[in-house]
Amino acid sequence: MRDEAGDAPPSIRTRGLRKVFRTGERTVEALRGVDLEIPEPCFHAVMGASGSGKSTLLHLLAGLDRADAGEIEVGGRRVDRMSEADLTLYRRRAVGVVFQAFNLLPTLTALENAAMPGVLDGRPRAECSERAALLLRELGLGDRFDHRPDALSGGEQQRVAIARALHFSPGVLFADEPTGNLDSASSERLFELLGGIAAERRMIVLVVTHEANAAVRCAAATILRDGAVAGGFTTEGLDADDLAARAAELARPAR
Ligand SMILES: Nc1ncnc2c1ncn2[C@@H]1O[C@H](COP(=O)(O)OP(=O)(O)OP(=O)(O)O)[C@@H](O)[C@H]1O
Ligand SMILES: [Mg+2]
């Protein structure tokens, strides 16, 4: 079951995307005209120095914040033109998001956390639990339904967050440094899992990462520099060192 926006094959396109943050006297141009095109299902990395605008870009694509200018098209729908009501449904059903900090509700079990999007959407509880149970089993958490987040490892918590994000079978999954709180072994397993999700579910999985040895598992990488796309490349034939070198070259400040 793919909902509304998800019916179209997943794709992402932005044109001239700009975002300015104003705090007191200070103005930060976080995005200064991002042009991005991911035309089909793909496991895709976004890299770049700290402050280059990676999280800001993901937030705009996921409908968590509004751009100041530019176009965003996801699955053929213009996200930048959506009303607040449409944007709420888009966030909930058409895309999934996972963060570095997992962001699970601490008082709820794994099953209840994974069922949450359906419950918030007003669907019958039994249906939501059934869907959550199916996803948790698929993600290898069949024996963890009743565990609260503090009784789960970091890798397990992140998989619950992924189950929650996949509740409505979105066409796109955004992950912002999803392995930032994991050790390197769990980190590798999580990237393998995300790659499998992109391939098997025919999704775009767009993942922000600083780790070249994780990013090599992606099919392609886009590098941001100073709020714009500095370039991109496919990872075919690259090892982690090659990828780190190419990313660093593109991320280097222009003179
Ligand atoms: N809510 C905000 N208010 C003010 N400035 C912000 C806000 N969010 C981000 N910024 C600024 O916008 C720029 C881009 O930030 P962003 O978080 O997108 O970077 P990033 O590439 O994700 O960095 P990191 O790798 O450290 O997570 C930075 O200069 C940051 O300080
Ligand atoms: Mg960030």
Side-chain angles (χ1 to χ4, degrees):
M1 159 199 75
R2 226 172 226 181
D3 208 289
E4 295 169 16
D7 289 339
S11 62
I12 296 175
R13 191 182 66 85
T14 73
R15 282 287 172 272
L17 203 57
R18 304 182 70 84
K19 179 70 183 176
V20 180
F21 291 109
R22 291 181 188 81
T23 39
E25 302 277 281
R26 250 172 64 83
T27 300
V28 177
E29 281 190 271
L31 299 180
R32 328 169 171 241
V34 169
D35 298 326
L36 178 71
E37 183 122 31
I38 304 177
E40 56 187 16
C42 176
F43 188 24
H44 197 108
V46 176
M47 304 182 83
S50 179
S52 58
K54 305 179 298 296
S55 295
T56 304
L57 175 62
L58 238 66
H59 283 152
L60 298 185
L61 293 174
L64 296 167
D65 202 354
R66 294 266 194 190
D68 290 302
E71 299 174 9
I72 307 176
E73 203 176 286
V74 177
R77 292 170 80 206
R78 283 289 293 269
V79 177
D80 55 294
R81 289 185 177 159
M82 285 180 187
S83 65
E84 285 306 314
D86 284 344
L87 204 58
T88 299
L89 292 181
Y90 167 81
R91 274 197 299 268
R92 194 183 294 158
R93 299 179 186 164
V95 297
V97 186
V98 300
F99 300 98
Q100 177 174 348
F102 318 138
N103 295 0
L104 300 176
L105 292 171
T107 57
L108 300 185
T109 64
L111 189 76
E112 289 164 345
N113 267 291
M116 189 47 66
V119 172
L120 288 175
D121 206 55
R123 316 246 165 164
R125 233 162 234 280
E127 181 188 311
C128 303
S129 298
E130 207 174 300
R131 173 79 184 144
L134 179 81
L135 285 165
L136 289 175
R137 267 190 225 105
E138 279 183 24
L139 295 171
L141 294 170
D143 54 355
R144 294 287 189 276
F145 287 3
D146 297 327
H147 287 233
R148 290 182 213 287
D150 64 2
L152 293 167
S153 72
E156 288 169 343
Q157 288 183 62
Q158 197 56 296
R159 279 183 279 154
V160 174
I162 292 169
R164 180 179 59 186
L166 295 178
H167 193 93
F168 285 111
S169 302
V172 183
L173 179 67
F174 299 107
D176 194 353
E177 300 193 43
T179 60
N181 287 345
L182 303 181
D183 60 47
S184 61
S186 311
S187 204
E188 273 181 34
R189 278 200 299 275
L190 196 87
F191 263 77
E192 209 171 291
L193 185 76
L194 290 172
I197 286 169
E200 285 156 28
R201 296 171 184 267
R202 302 278 303 148
M203 291 175 66
I204 292 176
V205 176
L206 190 64
V207 60
V208 170
T209 184
H210 287 285
E211 300 163 49
N213 55 353
V216 282
R217 292 177 183 274
C218 295
T222 294
I223 313 302
L224 293 190
R225 182 181 61 214
D226 207 12
V229 174
F233 50 86
T234 60
T235 64
E236 205 178 324
L238 300 185
D239 66 19
D241 291 341
D242 301 333
L243 187 145
R246 302 231 7 212
E249 180 67 35
L250 287 167
R252 190 165 296 151
R255 289 180 189 274

